[in-house]
Amino acid sequence: MSIKAVLFDLDGTLLDRDASLVHFACDQHDRFPQLQLVDKDIYVQKFTELDQHGYVWKDKVYRQLLDEFRVQGLDWTDLLEDYLNAFQRHCRPYPHLLKMLMDLTNRGIKLALVSNGYGQFQYDNFKALGIGHLFDEVLISEWEGLRKPDPAIFIRALGKLGVQAENALFVGDHPINDIKASRNAGMRAVWKRNGVAEQEVDADAVIDDLDEIMRIVLDLER
């Protein structure tokens, strides 16, 4: 089978979101004197706990943080605006990201991003990784009016790439939104473990590191 395209999720797949969030939360604590009445380690731990790997939007996170720590003189909207504007400066890629993508493009394989989230925010985080020039298409749920696990967003991405589902591979970390959904769209799926999902996942391959992707592509083409 010939692999002509590899499509990726963003958070937890290309972007080490948990590490990025910790880095951002530490910096935010340093920049807002009102937050410094709370121990930094406690603030960061609670922030990441409430965030739930990005599945709780930050308006709820900040409301609860300010209420729980009884922070005065600071509105949750100030912290949310800071998050929207500053998080991109703290984006951290997973190891071997750039080399893996360059290896794929050097083989003539097309690349696309398919991510849930708010359009400009996700796009800014994606650009912050310095890999945008390697991608042929970028689809973000808010801009597309479609959201994973709807197979339609995968089918739209394949149409933009001009590649059939059987010749495409999807790489993601979420068992339902990424793996099951992309397989429902007719693609092969690679599950990237990141310690969030503990259950068994019905994927075509499982990886722990991005540098394993090229081996999987080569195996599928044999």
Side-chain angles (χ1 to χ4, degrees), residues 5 21 49 64 66 92 125 139 150 162 173 181 187 194 216:
L21 190 71
E49 175 188 320
Q64 190 164 340
L66 294 182
R92 299 293 187 266
N125 296 341
L139 287 79
D150 188 342
D173 70 302
M187 304 169 63
N194 60 15
I216 293 169

Side-chain angles (χ1 to χ4, degrees), residues 66-82:
L66 294 182
D67 182 62
E68 184 165 329
F69 292 132
R70 299 185 179 183
V71 175
Q72 301 296 317
L74 191 60
D75 194 82
W76 67 267
T77 57
D78 298 324
L79 294 173
L80 178 59
E81 183 177 2
D82 181 67

Side-chain angles (χ1 to χ4, degrees), residues 6 62 65 71 75 100 108 110 117 133 164 170 186-187 221:
V6 180
Y62 284 126
L65 277 173
V71 175
D75 194 82
M100 177 272 296
K110 295 181 178 181
H133 62 290
Q164 297 298 312
F170 191 86
M187 304 169 63
E221 290 187 341

